[in-house]
């Protein structure tokens, strides 16, 4: 069964894999804009106005990749999903929307180096497609974990192989369940040359010193993505009620804040 979805002006479909996609289930029940609100609306607004390359690190079944691609027909998306079973669902959703030429699916785990590792597939929601699998220790020690051997590579290498570097990446969404630091280290060249907005999920065990040093040394600001207000952080910290942070280059902060305000006011 195909579910039709939309956020702002982006319309797309996603295949329902027997009710096992919890992200899709939530989007169908509550609306796409309510999933990790206000992120989908902000992403669509930005991607519609800034055509270029969008990186979806930890793409899962493709909700945000589809938003990136559908927001503007000139956009290219690189979707990273290292678990084969989930990547197959992602491929189905890309084919369904006829976006094979604009969404490149890379079945690889992102890191700060090229090599091999064991990816921890979790049963965070038994019976559903996992959403919390990771290369580090899962946030809940009681989850059952299945170790999967995976290849690792950097964002810099992957974009170079695809011919999408430099100075083309507009935004990177990095949701890799605690491994964000290593992913950003592997994107150092892209960040230096393209200065993209970076949306990251920062969990309780995150090395916040790294991210505070990152924003200071790279002339970025961190914006907490609250539902009803905007907060530009003087210092990045863990917030139980807002895990998503937008790391925004100083020169793009004004534009991002305006889009943010538009998203939460609508």
């Amino acid at each position: 069964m195909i579910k039709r979805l939309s956020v702002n002006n982006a319309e797309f479909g996603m295949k329902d894999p027997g009710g096992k996609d919890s992200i899709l289930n939530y989007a169908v029940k509550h609306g796409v804009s309510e999933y990790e609100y206000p992120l989908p609306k902000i992403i669509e607004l930005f991607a519609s106005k800034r055509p270029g390359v969008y990186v979806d690190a930890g793409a899962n079944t493709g909700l945000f990749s589809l938003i990136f691609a559908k927001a503007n027909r000139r956009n290219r998306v690189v979707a990273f999903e290292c678990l084969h079973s989930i990547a197959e669902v992602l491929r189905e959703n890309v084919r369904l929307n006829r976006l094979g030429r604009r969404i490149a699916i890379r079945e690889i785990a992102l890191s700060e180096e090229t090599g091999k590792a064991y990816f921890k597939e979790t049963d965070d929601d038994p019976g559903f497609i996992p959403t919390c699998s990771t290369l580090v220790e899962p946030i809940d020690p009681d989850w059952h974990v299945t170790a999967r051997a995976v290849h690792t590579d950097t964002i810099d290498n992957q974009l170079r192989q695809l011919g999408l570097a430099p100075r083309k990446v507009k935004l990177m969404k990095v949701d890799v369940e605690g491994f964000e630091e290593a992913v950003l280290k592997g994107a150092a060249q892209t960040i230096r040359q393209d200065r993209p907005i970076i949306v990251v999920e920062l969990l309780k065990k995150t090395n916040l010193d790294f991210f505070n040093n990152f924003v200071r040394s790279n002339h970025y600001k961190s914006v907490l993505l609250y539902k009803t207000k905007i907060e530009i952080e003087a210092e990045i910290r863990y917030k139980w009620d807002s895990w998503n942070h937008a790391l925004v280059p100083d020169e793009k902060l004004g534009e991002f804040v305006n889009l943010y305000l538009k998203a939460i006011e609508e």
Side-chain angles (χ1 to χ4, degrees):
M1 182 181 297
I2 307 303
K3 304 293 186 180
R4 305 305 306 180
L5 302 167
S6 66
V7 58
N8 298 340
N9 294 318
E11 298 180 353
F12 53 93
M14 293 183 73
K15 186 176 181 180
D16 182 1
K20 295 181 179 180
D21 186 344
S22 59
I23 296 174
L24 174 60
N25 294 345
Y26 189 96
V28 169
K29 182 176 181 180
H30 301 285
V32 175
S33 63
E34 292 300 314
Y35 180 75
E36 299 194 3
Y37 181 91
L39 188 55
K41 296 180 76 172
I42 295 171
I43 279 179
E44 195 281 336
L45 286 169
F46 184 83
S48 68
K49 298 176 182 297
R50 290 288 178 266
V53 176
Y54 288 78
V55 173
D56 191 357
N60 206 266
T61 57
L63 179 68
F64 286 105
S65 291
L66 295 171
I67 294 172
F68 288 141
K70 283 293 189 175
N72 190 313
R73 65 181 61 187
R74 295 165 60 191
N75 290 343
R76 294 283 304 278
V77 182
V78 187
F80 293 95
E81 177 51 58
C82 72
L83 286 178
H84 179 71
S85 59
I86 302 179
E88 284 297 288
V89 181
L90 173 60
R91 288 188 181 93
E92 282 291 319
N93 286 327
V94 170
R95 282 194 291 265
L96 172 66
N97 291 276
R98 299 179 180 179
L99 290 171
R101 292 185 177 181
R102 292 203 289 119
I103 299 180
I105 299 171
R106 309 297 274 185
E107 200 170 314
I108 198 163
L110 289 171
S111 183
E112 59 188 298
E113 59 187 4
T114 301
K116 295 182 179 180
Y118 282 99
F119 192 79
K120 300 171 180 66
E121 181 179 355
T122 62
D123 65 345
D124 48 279
D125 200 356
F128 293 86
I129 293 172
T131 59
C132 297
S133 302
T134 177
L135 277 171
V136 294
E137 291 303 313
I139 58 174
D140 190 333
D142 294 329
W143 286 338
H144 175 74
V145 170
T146 302
R148 308 282 188 192
V150 297
H151 292 281
T152 65
D153 201 3
T154 68
I155 285 179
D156 287 342
N157 283 342
Q158 289 288 305
L159 293 178
R160 196 177 302 114
Q161 290 174 21
L162 290 167
L164 297 177
R167 297 184 177 86
K168 295 180 180 179
V169 178
K170 303 300 182 182
L171 185 148
M172 303 193 306
K173 180 190 76 69
V174 184
D175 184 356
V176 289
E177 303 301 318
F179 207 60
E180 286 78 6
E181 177 181 340
V183 172
L184 263 59
K185 287 179 177 177
Q189 183 178 11
T190 300
I191 292 168
R192 184 172 61 254
Q193 293 178 336
D194 295 13
R195 296 189 57 76
I197 290 172
I198 306 167
V199 176
V200 292
E201 183 183 74
L202 301 184
L203 304 177
K204 195 169 186 178
K205 294 182 180 180
T206 298
N207 177 10
L208 295 180
D209 286 342
F210 167 82
F211 286 94
N212 278 303
N213 288 333
F214 174 89
V215 295
R216 284 193 291 267
S217 61
N218 289 284
H219 303 288
Y220 271 65
K221 293 291 189 296
S222 175
V223 181
L224 263 174
L225 300 185
Y226 280 117
K227 292 185 176 182
T228 58
K229 64 178 182 178
I230 188 166
E231 181 179 341
I232 301 171
E233 297 182 283
E235 182 174 1
I236 299 174
R237 61 206 186 281
Y238 169 75
K239 297 290 288 184
W240 67 269
D241 56 345
S242 182
W243 293 356
N244 285 323
H245 301 240
L247 310 182
V248 185
D250 288 351
E251 68 273 15
K252 299 176 183 177
L253 185 61
E255 177 189 13
F256 183 82
V257 167
N258 288 336
L259 290 176
Y260 190 158
L261 291 174
K262 183 177 180 180
I264 63 177
E265 288 171 357
E266 288 182 347

